[in-house]
Amino acid sequence: MLRSDTGSGATQPVGGAKYVYNDGDGSTAYDIDVPLQIHGFDPNFHFVGMTFNPEGFADMKDKYFLLNGRSYPDTIGIPGYAGLATTVSNPDPVTHAISTNDTDSISRFSQPLPSLITLSASGGHACAAGVSPCGQRAVLRIADLDVQEYQTLSSIGIPMLLVGFNAKILRDQAGNNLYIKTNSITLGGGESLDVILDSTGIAPGTYFLYTPQLDHLSNDAENFGGLMTEVVVTP
């Protein structure tokens, strides 16, 4: 089992195999790599920063909660999915980047990475020997860039296997795996987690990866948004 590391901490496939860590036992094998960055955004704080006034850090209060720079439903903003026509130009049908008008009235693309996760319940290659059908396994490389509060993500219907914390495999010095199977994880600013979602034995359908912190499921005054995305399991 070989690996090559990049600056982001991601393990790239070498010789046809992909592993979250150089584990030696194949327990962190996966099919799909999904980077997720959690952000919080306070528009009032940033507005003050655009003027001549000093920012009041003590008064900072996030009102937008983002995955890869997007709040739901933009987290799943891919042309052709969830009622979004394939003919739309925003998001871009090729790069999936969202276009917004800048202060100079020029439209610029940003936030190119949606958070929609799609898994096949029968197209995986990372299962243990003899498991059939083998579903795909996705590693969620979750990093929290918050400066104001902790964030929690929950997965209902597809258990999460926590295999790493702060770019270190969960294993003791005797070589015993200390992985945690859970349906929620919590982390603070500057922390990162490696979580595996396994679609083996999961019924096809749409599942949600979301925060149970209800005030984080809104886009400021707009309800039903915030820190949430979808996990689609296909046959």
Side-chain angles (χ1 to χ4, degrees):
M1 254 171 282
L2 302 175
R3 74 172 191 175
S4 63
D5 289 336
T6 66
S8 64
T11 302
Q12 300 301 316
V14 177
K18 291 193 284 188
Y19 302 89
V20 186
Y21 293 96
N22 195 7
D23 50 55
D25 58 8
S27 57
T28 65
Y30 71 93
D31 298 288
I32 300 172
D33 205 331
V34 182
L36 291 176
Q37 288 189 338
I38 302 174
H39 309 72
F41 181 78
D42 181 356
N44 298 330
F45 178 86
H46 284 270
F47 177 79
V48 170
M50 295 168 59
T51 66
F52 298 100
N53 301 309
E55 297 92 339
F57 281 85
D59 298 326
M60 182 184 291
K61 176 63 177 175
D62 293 337
K63 296 179 178 63
Y64 294 90
F65 304 93
L66 317 170
L67 286 173
N68 294 337
R70 303 185 185 191
S71 291
Y72 189 86
D74 285 340
T75 52
I76 59 170
I78 295 178
Y81 180 77
L84 193 61
T86 57
T87 56
V88 300
S89 58
N90 189 20
D92 185 272
V94 177
T95 65
H96 299 158
I98 295 177
S99 175
T100 55
N101 286 329
D102 212 333
T103 54
D104 56 5
S105 299
I106 297 177
S107 183
R108 292 182 172 87
F109 286 98
S110 62
Q111 301 150 347
L113 194 62
S115 306
L116 178 66
I117 303 168
T118 303
L119 298 172
S120 170
S122 59
H125 303 90
C127 293
V131 175
S132 181
C134 177
Q136 286 184 319
R137 287 159 59 98
V139 55
L140 311 184
R141 301 185 185 274
I142 305 172
D144 189 355
L145 305 184
D146 272 282
V147 297
Q148 202 259 327
E149 55 189 307
Y150 282 79
Q151 300 285 3
T152 297
L153 281 178
S154 292
S155 173
I156 303 300
I158 307 179
M160 295 189 284
L161 182 66
L162 178 61
V163 299
F165 176 70
N166 286 343
K168 179 178 174 61
I169 190 171
L170 291 181
R171 177 175 289 172
D172 64 19
Q173 294 185 354
N176 300 306
N177 293 332
L178 303 177
Y179 306 155
I180 301 171
K181 181 172 284 190
T182 180
N183 65 358
S184 70
I185 51 93
T186 299
L187 67 169
E191 294 182 331
S192 65
L193 297 171
D194 296 307
V195 172
I196 294 177
L197 295 181
D198 190 349
S199 63
T200 301
I202 301 297
T206 300
Y207 301 84
F208 290 89
L209 183 68
Y210 70 100
T211 178
Q213 298 162 270
L214 298 182
D215 61 325
H216 293 188
L217 285 175
S218 63
N219 304 323
D220 197 1
E222 177 188 41
N223 286 325
F224 197 62
L227 205 63
M228 180 164 62
T229 188
E230 296 180 8
V231 181
V232 178
V233 178
T234 61

